Amino acid sequence: MKDKLMALKAEALGQLQEVADPAALNDLRVKYLGKKGALTEILRGMGGLSAEERPIIGQVGNEVRGAIEEVITSKQEEFQRKETEERLRAEKVDVTLPGRPLTQGSVHPLSRVIQDIEDIFIGLGYRVAEGPEVETDYFNFEALNLPKNHPARDMQDSFYLTDDLLMRTQTSPVQARTMLAMKGETPVKIICPGRVFRRDDDDATHSFQFHQIEGLVIGEGIRMSDLKGTLLQFVREMFGVNTQIRLRPSFFPFTEPSAEVDVSCVKCGGSGCRVCKQTGWLEILGCGMVHPKVLEMGGYDAESCSGFAFGMGVERIAMLKYGVDDIRHFYNNDLSFLKQFARI
Amino acid sequence: MRVSTEWLSQYISLEGITAKELAERITSAGIEIDIIENRNQGVHHVVTGYVKHKEKHPDADKLNVCTVDAGQGEDLQIVCGAKNVDAGQIVPVAMVGAKLPGGLDIKKAKLRGVVSQGMICSAKELGMNDKLLPKELQEGILVLPENTEIGVPVTDVLGLNDEVLELDLTPNRSDCLSMLGTAYEVSAILGRELTLPKPEESLVEVSDSASNYISVSIAAEEQCSHYSARYITGVRIESSPLWIQNRLIAAGVRPINNIVDITNYCMLEYGQPLHAFDADRLPGGSLTVRLAREGEKMVTLDGQERNLEPHMLIIAAENGPAALAGVMGGLDSEVTDQTVNIVLESAKFDGGTVRKTSRQLGLRSEASSRFEKEVDPAAVIPALNRAAGLISEYAGGTVHEGIVQAGSAEAEKKIITLSLPKVNRILGTDLSQLEVKTLFARLHFSCGDAGEGLIEVEVPTRRGDITLDVDLLEEIARLYGYDNIPTTAIQGKTTPGTLSKPQLIRRALRRLLTHGGWQEVLGYSFIHPRQAEKFASLAGESNQVRLAMPMSEDRSVLRTSLIPQLLDIASYNTNRKQPDLALFEIGNLFHSNEEQLTIQPKEQPVLGMLLSGRRGSKQWNVQPEKADFFDLKGAVESIFQYLGIAPSTVEYKADQPADFHPGRSASVYVNLDSGQVKLGTLGQVHPQLQQEQDVEDTYVAELLLDPLYELTDSSVAYQDLPRFPGMERDLAIVVNEAVEAGELTASIREHAGDLLKKVQVFDVFTGSKLGEGKKSVAVSLTFRHQERTLTDEEVGIAVDQAVQALEQSFGAELRK
């Protein structure tokens, strides 16, 4: 019986050596080790053995089973490895083909600049105030110390709807409205972004519709030096920590003293280039100490309160920040322009 | 204002300072100067020469051979092609070695065989703005006055050694519309002494009094506070001396004749416009300043007949209007070549009156623009005397004794009390009383002490812009230097920086949409009236709001919807091969119920959306599909979900809104506390309109933001995660095609009980198997209990209830 077992082992191992695919391997496993397999067949004859022989033959039988199983397992592992290798080969991709992008739109560059500026001033404790696009003559002009027949009304030709109603020419009326709404309470710290309109023929630097951001601070002991400090902080956050400012005296009916503010050129840093026309400076905003008449019309006592205001053109800032050379791009809404801003 | 530095240096020394430096100093003190014009555009070695002879060129009809004495000892032979050249003239001669503007070098040359030792020049060749010269001098060579010295540099003769500063004056600084005003400003900036002309000292009068010949009166005191005149006889009308002409040209004023030039010269010097009448054409010699009468007419200098109105101020002679005060003189009394005797006028007319008249008649001049900004009352008489003196000197006039005047030159002394602590409190500086007084001394403002920390400042009448202490504060700040003011941080109470709820929601919408691939665009608030009729349902039954004076019909009414411009933008991009579009705009639409606008129109913030072309981008392994109604609706639903607005709050009604595809559009309604309101519309653009706009299938939506602000729920509240598994049941419901999916899901929600957590439509189809006019709607129902696992039985009961209701209400059958 032992011989039979040894012969079976030799035969099985021999056949297993030849096996080429997992199905044939399985067939051999059934043939030799299955419930009705050859090994079981032989061992069924153990009933006729003596009590001394039985354990010996049993041990031989187990050894034969173990030897065959070991080969089968190693064969199985080999087949599995091959199969995995083949699959990996088959699944190879060309990694240089383009990926599928997330769909990503973007806010309009003017919205983006407005949000950036809002965020800087929110960080400084300002509230964002808004007002109507159609204004009354009173809020657009008179409450800002521009009475009818004032020569400064020459500066801005307006779109009137009626004698008394017009498209606002500046965001400053929001100042006047906010002051009245605050009813004398201090401090007032607001910025007002919005659309404004002037009768300009459109060209590379003019648009009849554009955006402004106005700022207003009113409180006790607000100084012109605070205005300088505020603007310096703003331009450094907006254009970089090394940005310098320069204030030049100017005239606005609603501020006194008034100033135009230049920043060191965002392109060359002040050494002179085409963008700054070799001056090293770029004019970006107008500002001043709130005129006492404006404070009083807004319900504030000009002796105990003071304040500053500033205003800037959003398109101008956007053009400088992004190097845009024609204001009309902002209103043409050409996707190939807008998509350039779909990034941080 | 164009300021000649040559002229300016008559009043103040400009030694050691270049025009560029001066411009920078003036700019940093508040008057911007962007342009400095060098009057010498590159003229070298050009001298005055006397044309001794002129002969025809032997071989050229159009050329002349001139013998010219240019003060060089030897005469020069110069070939000249100008028609107007003639013997006896004094002309500019560019000698061999000379340079002319534009890089022209003069060399010895032969012209048709004749040697030419230079070139006789025209004004244009000398780089002059010849538009300011008389016609005859524009066409040929420049002929200089007979008494011009020979052999001297022409740059000296023509005043070309001059640089002109262009002052960009803000409306408040009309004091610098004069050379003297500018000199005061420069004196304050540089801290240098002023030398002022003293016309009254040098004026010679004859004792025969002017009042024997002329009289003046004012019948409109509000419009004219002071009117003065002088009587001058025996004037010779001729060209004015070159130095006056040169300065006028530098200032951009065209020389005419000595009388006109002198009045203009004095206007530029003092800022006080003057007018000369031909005295012999003013019958009776009496002038009255009065308002025009209804129906009165006059012919102005330009030959136009003007219909006068009662608000217009005129100077009337006995035979009617002789001048429109401050605007333009009358043709009848104009100074001509024949004029011998003149009446010279200097007055202060009310600015508003002059402005109204000049605007209405479209007549704006150097004079009117100065009157409009209010002239200095203290300059009326000095300017008159100055002009009389110059006329006596350069036009041979005899000035008769005395000034004939009405009204008064007296202006109230303007004294402002300034508090030094306030100065420092507002500016953030630490200036002493002495420093402040020194600054005012530079401005020629006199100061006095008025108690502790108070300074009394007398403001000269020429500075009409200064009326309050803060105006003085600005004078201090700009002379002290804005650069010298410190940089500080705001003291006192701090405030939280915030955005309002609407502002936060608009930002949230921008964030959600851009991250979903949508592109923000910006339209104009103005559109064409035809566009304003489209998609205007959110503006209600309103009237179009029209601009009084639009720049074009395309931009003439306020927009009533964002969609028309979104469509324009879609066309624009589609035409540029960018047809795959997902656009949105956040902006206002305008409406008013008033026929005649009296109050501001209502401005409503809205979100406009447009979808066209394919969704997603073209890919090597994915075929992008065309976007459809449900892409747009999905975006709208995502907005509601993002803003925390429950689906049960929203209702879509296929009510065929105007301008949309009737079968692929809906109005959206939401339930507010105050009841259901229309939130907006969405759907495909009507195919007809698509064709007109030249776009493919395009889907648009417009939603009012105010109701969204109200409904937005930003409170996130955690809910227990489900601890027990849910059960799903799928139903395929066959109904008539007209039945809406929304009706079926609403019915299921109503009848399947509380265990039902979710209903989702996952397939819709029609086909012959189902029968004519039928469709199958497949829905997936999810049931769950928070506390326990559900049994098949209880779910079965819930489904049965739902199915029964569907059968009863819609005649539905279940497809097995």
Side-chain angles (χ1 to χ4, degrees):
Chain A
M1 204 167 175
K2 187 179 175 183
D3 293 344
K4 271 187 178 172
L5 285 171
M6 294 316 286
L8 181 76
K9 179 184 170 188
E11 182 195 327
L13 293 181
Q15 286 186 2
L16 280 171
Q17 214 51 244
E18 304 294 313
V19 79
D21 60 88
L25 180 66
N26 197 44
D27 288 349
L28 288 179
R29 191 183 58 75
V30 175
K31 178 178 171 192
Y32 293 107
L33 303 182
K35 277 183 188 165
K36 293 174 183 168
L39 183 62
T40 317
E41 193 64 31
I42 295 171
L43 293 180
R44 209 170 272 152
M46 273 179 50
L49 294 180
S50 66
E52 293 82 38
E53 271 182 323
R54 214 176 281 162
I56 295 162
I57 293 299
Q59 200 183 343
V60 173
N62 281 343
E63 278 168 18
V64 170
R65 178 182 292 276
I68 295 172
E69 271 178 348
E70 195 179 325
V71 175
I72 288 175
T73 306
S74 86
K75 275 283 171 191
Q76 270 172 342
E77 281 171 359
E78 187 190 326
F79 286 138
Q80 217 150 40
R81 204 167 50 241
K82 274 188 186 154
E83 194 187 303
T84 306
E85 273 167 17
E86 249 160 56
R87 213 178 80 210
L88 292 179
R89 241 191 320 276
E91 285 173 351
K92 178 176 163 37
V93 298
D94 177 354
V95 297
T96 65
L97 281 168
R100 245 161 270 148
L102 298 177
T103 48
Q104 178 68 47
S106 68
V107 295
H108 191 280
L110 295 177
S111 297
R112 178 178 171 139
V113 168
I114 290 171
Q115 287 188 7
D116 286 351
I117 294 173
E118 283 176 351
D119 289 343
I120 291 170
F121 282 101
I122 287 169
L124 295 173
Y126 288 63
R127 197 161 57 76
V128 179
E130 290 163 307
E133 292 177 41
V134 177
E135 261 300 354
T136 61
D137 190 84
Y138 176 79
F139 279 109
N140 195 72
F141 291 126
E142 288 188 43
L144 298 165
N145 198 28
L146 277 139
K148 288 208 162 76
N149 270 331
H150 191 285
R153 284 202 184 191
D154 283 1
M155 293 200 299
Q156 35 206 10
D157 276 347
S158 324
F159 287 108
Y160 274 90
L161 301 174
T162 68
D163 284 346
D164 186 50
L165 296 174
L166 72 160
M167 302 310 294
R168 65 177 171 192
T169 59
Q170 45 192 357
T171 41
S172 315
V174 185
Q175 285 185 21
R177 289 182 175 277
T178 304
M179 280 190 251
L180 289 179
M182 296 277 289
K183 296 186 196 304
E185 199 187 313
T186 59
V188 177
K189 269 172 111 178
I190 54 162
I191 59 163
C192 334
R195 294 178 173 213
V196 299
F197 307 84
R198 293 186 195 172
R199 295 181 65 88
D200 270 324
D201 285 319
D202 288 0
D203 62 23
T205 53
H206 295 87
S207 174
F208 71 88
Q209 171 180 304
F210 58 104
H211 292 73
Q212 280 189 336
I213 295 187
E214 192 85 9
L216 174 71
V217 172
I218 298 173
E220 284 170 25
I222 297 294
R223 302 161 293 180
M224 193 157 169
S225 55
D226 298 335
L227 169 61
K228 279 183 79 175
T230 301
L231 294 177
L232 187 63
Q233 187 163 355
F234 161 65
V235 300
R236 290 191 166 172
E237 289 196 42
M238 194 72 195
F239 297 112
V241 287
N242 295 318
T243 312
Q244 298 292 327
I245 57 168
R246 177 175 81 171
L247 273 67
R248 287 180 287 110
S250 188
F251 169 74
F252 306 109
F254 28 90
T255 51
E256 188 82 313
S258 304
E260 298 268 12
V261 181
D262 300 334
V263 290
S264 50
C265 180
V266 296
K267 179 97 179 164
C268 65
S271 56
C273 68
R274 195 180 51 80
V275 173
C276 59
K277 297 186 185 116
Q278 309 304 328
T279 61
W281 296 96
L282 296 166
E283 189 179 317
I284 60 151
L285 56 82
C287 65
M289 301 303 290
V290 181
H291 197 287
K293 284 185 186 160
V294 175
L295 284 174
E296 272 155 22
M297 281 186 277
Y300 286 82
D301 173 21
E303 284 305 315
S304 61
C305 286
S306 54
F308 63 72
F310 54 86
M312 63 194 108
V314 176
E315 281 81 353
R316 166 107 179 127
I317 304 255
M319 289 170 85
L320 290 176
K321 198 169 162 71
Y322 302 123
V324 176
D325 58 2
D326 192 324
I327 196 171
R328 289 168 292 200
H329 283 312
F330 295 118
Y331 295 98
N332 283 342
N333 294 297
D334 192 318
L335 277 191
S336 51
F337 173 75
L338 298 173
K339 289 278 180 210
Q340 296 179 25
F341 300 90
R343 45 167 296 190
I344 60 167
Chain B
M1 172 80 184
R2 290 170 55 90
V3 173
S4 150
T5 49
E6 180 275 328
W7 190 351
L8 185 65
S9 63
Q10 181 184 326
Y11 314 114
I12 182 167
S13 165
L14 298 178
E15 232 180 276
I17 181 163
T18 65
K20 185 163 182 278
E21 286 163 357
L22 181 60
E24 279 167 9
R25 296 283 298 271
I26 295 173
T27 299
S28 68
I31 296 173
E32 209 169 329
I33 298 174
D34 277 337
I35 299 171
I36 304 169
E37 180 191 306
N38 190 339
R39 290 208 62 214
N40 186 343
Q41 298 282 301
V43 176
H44 294 286
H45 212 47
V46 179
V47 299
T48 52
Y50 176 70
V51 183
K52 285 177 150 178
H53 307 289
K54 180 184 89 166
E55 285 165 19
K56 276 254 167 268
H57 189 290
D59 292 324
D61 282 353
K62 289 185 176 167
L63 295 179
N64 293 301
V65 181
C66 303
T67 309
V68 179
D69 174 4
Q72 307 298 303
E74 243 169 75
D75 287 349
L76 306 172
Q77 175 175 293
I78 297 176
V79 178
C80 179
K83 275 185 203 158
N84 66 334
V85 69
D86 213 343
Q89 290 173 337
I90 295 176
V91 292
V93 178
M95 296 191 297
V96 172
K99 286 186 193 309
L100 292 177
L104 187 62
D105 291 328
I106 303 300
K107 295 175 187 136
K108 195 168 175 177
K110 265 190 184 173
L111 284 109
R112 298 253 176 145
V114 177
V115 169
S116 183
Q117 297 169 284
M119 180 176 130
I120 301 176
C121 304
S122 69
K124 191 176 264 171
E125 283 159 344
L126 295 173
M128 295 172 72
N129 178 3
D130 64 355
K131 289 201 183 76
L132 295 177
L133 297 174
K135 259 262 148 49
E136 63 270 21
L137 293 183
Q138 289 180 24
E139 278 158 12
I141 52 158
L142 181 63
V143 180
L144 298 166
E146 287 168 18
N147 57 358
T148 308
E149 204 183 324
I150 293 168
V152 298
V154 76
T155 48
D156 290 350
V157 174
L158 294 175
L160 298 185
N161 295 320
D162 188 9
E163 288 179 273
V164 178
L165 311 179
E166 276 195 29
L167 273 54
D168 188 2
L169 294 173
T170 49
N172 59 327
R173 292 306 303 275
S174 55
D175 58 302
C176 287
L177 281 171
S178 69
M179 292 304 298
L180 287 170
T182 306
Y184 273 108
E185 175 75 4
V186 173
S187 161
I189 293 167
L190 300 181
R192 293 186 185 180
E193 284 303 307
L194 269 183
T195 313
L196 300 174
K198 297 198 168 72
E200 60 290 352
E201 287 180 7
S202 53
L203 184 64
V204 180
E205 298 172 293
V206 295
S207 57
D208 183 8
S209 173
S211 57
N212 294 334
Y213 301 92
I214 57 169
S215 63
V216 302
S217 62
I218 298 174
E221 282 162 16
E222 267 182 42
Q223 288 79 14
C224 177
S225 55
H226 187 204
Y227 191 89
S228 71
R230 273 189 176 275
Y231 184 60
I232 305 172
T233 54
V235 299
R236 287 186 320 271
I237 307 296
E238 57 190 20
S239 295
S240 49
L242 268 185
W243 68 268
I244 289 183
Q245 293 194 36
N246 293 341
R247 286 180 173 180
L248 291 182
I249 290 172
V253 176
R254 176 201 291 246
I256 311 267
N257 61 43
N258 49 2
I259 302 299
V260 176
D261 289 359
I262 286 166
T263 58
N264 281 333
Y265 183 88
C266 294
M267 172 182 73
L268 292 170
E269 189 171 38
Y270 285 87
Q272 169 65 42
L274 304 171
H275 182 66
F277 297 94
D278 186 329
D280 300 322
R281 292 160 77 181
L282 297 173
S286 77
L287 293 175
T288 305
V289 186
R290 64 164 169 86
L291 292 171
R293 302 191 180 111
E294 196 80 59
E296 245 177 342
K297 291 177 182 186
M298 77 173 288
V299 179
T300 45
L301 277 178
D302 52 5
Q304 299 268 316
E305 188 180 68
R306 309 282 180 180
N307 293 316
L308 305 182
E309 291 180 25
H311 66 81
M312 295 177 177
L313 190 67
I314 59 163
I315 316 301
E318 282 175 12
N319 59 346
L324 266 173
V327 179
M328 196 178 255
L331 190 64
D332 273 354
S333 55
E334 185 189 14
V335 172
T336 66
D337 292 350
Q338 277 73 49
T339 300
V340 181
N341 304 318
I342 59 171
V343 172
L344 190 61
E345 162 204 289
S346 182
K348 175 156 175 58
F349 300 122
D350 169 61
T353 307
V354 171
R355 179 201 319 259
K356 199 168 170 193
T357 303
S358 73
R359 286 265 166 106
Q360 191 173 332
L361 299 179
L363 286 174
R364 303 196 71 186
S365 61
E366 293 269 349
S368 71
S369 68
R370 284 175 172 78
F371 281 121
E372 281 178 18
K373 287 163 186 147
E374 300 296 348
V375 295
D376 176 8
V380 172
I381 297 300
L384 179 67
N385 288 335
R386 173 73 163 151
L390 290 173
I391 288 171
S392 147
E393 196 175 346
Y394 296 103
T398 302
V399 180
H400 289 253
E401 189 187 56
I403 293 168
V404 179
Q405 54 187 321
S408 159
E410 292 281 307
E412 261 181 58
K413 265 195 173 181
K414 198 163 46 179
I415 292 173
I416 299 172
T417 305
L418 184 66
S419 147
L420 183 66
K422 184 173 174 184
V423 169
N424 287 320
R425 194 176 72 229
I426 301 246
L427 297 181
T429 48
D430 190 20
L431 293 168
S432 70
Q433 190 130 342
L434 181 64
E435 283 174 294
V436 171
K437 285 168 126 179
T438 308
L439 294 175
F440 285 129
R442 277 164 57 181
L443 286 161
H444 294 79
F445 292 5
S446 15
C447 288
D449 291 332
E452 185 67 36
L454 295 178
I455 307 171
E456 271 188 349
V457 183
E458 187 183 337
V459 182
T461 52
R462 65 188 157 81
R463 290 299 305 273
D465 60 312
I466 296 176
T467 57
L468 301 172
D469 62 349
V470 289
D471 301 324
L472 289 174
L473 225 124
E474 176 169 73
E475 296 299 304
I476 295 169
R478 71 188 186 89
L479 285 183
Y480 177 65
Y482 281 12
D483 284 347
N484 296 322
I485 293 172
T487 300
T488 56
I490 296 173
Q491 311 287 310
K493 266 191 272 184
T494 56
T495 47
T498 51
L499 288 172
S500 65
K501 186 176 176 187
Q503 288 160 355
L504 285 167
I505 291 170
R506 287 201 301 272
R507 282 203 180 190
L509 288 173
R510 287 197 173 92
R511 201 160 51 233
L512 174 73
L513 288 168
T514 56
H515 290 181
W518 292 71
Q519 175 63 50
E520 189 185 21
V521 297
L522 269 185
Y524 290 116
S525 294
F526 308 155
I527 59 177
H528 194 284
R530 231 177 16 242
Q531 290 181 304
E533 291 167 4
K534 301 285 184 223
F535 299 100
S537 69
L538 293 181
E541 297 284 303
S542 63
N543 295 297
Q544 291 188 359
V545 180
R546 195 177 162 83
L547 300 176
M549 277 171 52
M551 291 175 78
S552 71
E553 196 62 11
D554 278 351
R555 307 260 173 260
S556 60
V557 300
L558 301 189
R559 61 181 172 180
T560 47
S561 164
L562 308 192
I563 294 173
Q565 284 188 92
L566 284 171
L567 284 170
D568 283 348
I569 296 169
S571 300
Y572 179 95
N573 281 290
T574 303
N575 289 335
R576 280 161 184 74
K577 305 226 180 304
Q578 301 171 135
D580 302 328
L581 301 166
L583 310 175
F584 74 98
E585 179 179 1
I586 293 173
N588 288 335
L589 51 82
F590 302 80
H591 52 96
S592 171
N593 294 324
E594 293 185 300
E595 199 116 336
Q596 287 291 323
L597 206 60
T598 61
I599 52 168
Q600 286 157 286
K602 192 162 163 47
E603 296 183 22
Q604 279 190 296
V606 289
L607 167 68
M609 301 168 76
L610 179 144
L611 199 58
S612 187
R614 293 163 307 193
R615 72 172 89 103
S617 57
K618 211 175 184 173
Q619 269 287 317
W620 56 274
N621 59 350
V622 180
Q623 278 305 310
E625 288 175 55
K626 282 175 90 175
D628 66 19
F629 177 87
F630 297 101
D631 289 300
L632 179 69
K633 190 185 175 199
V636 169
E637 287 168 329
S638 299
I639 288 170
F640 296 143
Q641 195 189 347
Y642 193 62
L643 298 183
I645 300 171
S648 57
T649 314
V650 185
E651 192 180 347
Y652 298 87
K653 293 183 188 168
D655 55 3
Q656 307 194 347
D659 307 310
F660 284 92
H661 186 309
R664 292 182 179 172
S665 57
S667 297
V668 191
Y669 292 81
V670 289
N671 298 317
L672 300 181
D673 290 345
S674 54
Q676 194 176 57
V677 297
K678 181 166 172 177
L679 180 72
T681 47
L682 79 163
Q684 184 177 348
V685 175
H686 196 285
Q688 181 101 31
L689 260 176
Q690 289 184 169
Q691 205 178 350
E692 281 167 28
Q693 288 279 349
D694 200 14
V695 290
E696 296 294 303
D697 285 358
T698 297
Y699 302 85
V700 293
E702 188 160 45
L703 307 177
L704 292 174
L705 294 185
D706 282 335
L708 288 185
Y709 299 154
E710 190 179 328
L711 289 170
T712 293
D713 177 8
S714 59
S715 61
V716 176
Y718 159 80
Q719 288 181 325
D720 282 342
L721 304 182
R723 279 182 294 161
F724 298 92
M727 273 192 172
E728 277 189 24
R729 290 289 185 274
D730 291 349
L731 300 177
I733 309 156
V734 178
V735 287
N736 286 332
E737 267 186 289
V739 176
E740 292 177 350
E743 297 177 277
L744 299 178
T745 50
S747 168
I748 292 168
R749 276 201 189 89
E750 194 185 334
H751 294 100
D754 293 340
L755 297 175
L756 180 70
K757 297 299 170 201
K758 193 170 149 194
V759 183
Q760 194 167 25
V761 177
F762 66 91
D763 192 24
V764 178
F765 74 93
T766 55
S768 52
K769 269 195 222 163
L770 297 173
E772 189 76 4
K774 295 280 185 187
K775 69 175 172 187
S776 162
V777 179
V779 294
S780 165
L781 315 184
T782 306
F783 297 88
R784 179 177 289 117
H785 195 288
Q786 202 61 23
E787 305 296 336
R788 58 183 174 79
T789 306
L790 292 175
T791 65
D792 278 341
E793 276 172 327
E794 54 188 344
V795 170
I797 291 166
V799 171
D800 285 348
Q801 284 168 352
V803 169
Q804 268 175 29
L806 290 173
E807 286 167 353
Q808 277 168 19
S809 306
F810 306 104
E813 287 173 35
L814 282 198
R815 204 158 58 85
K816 295 288 189 288

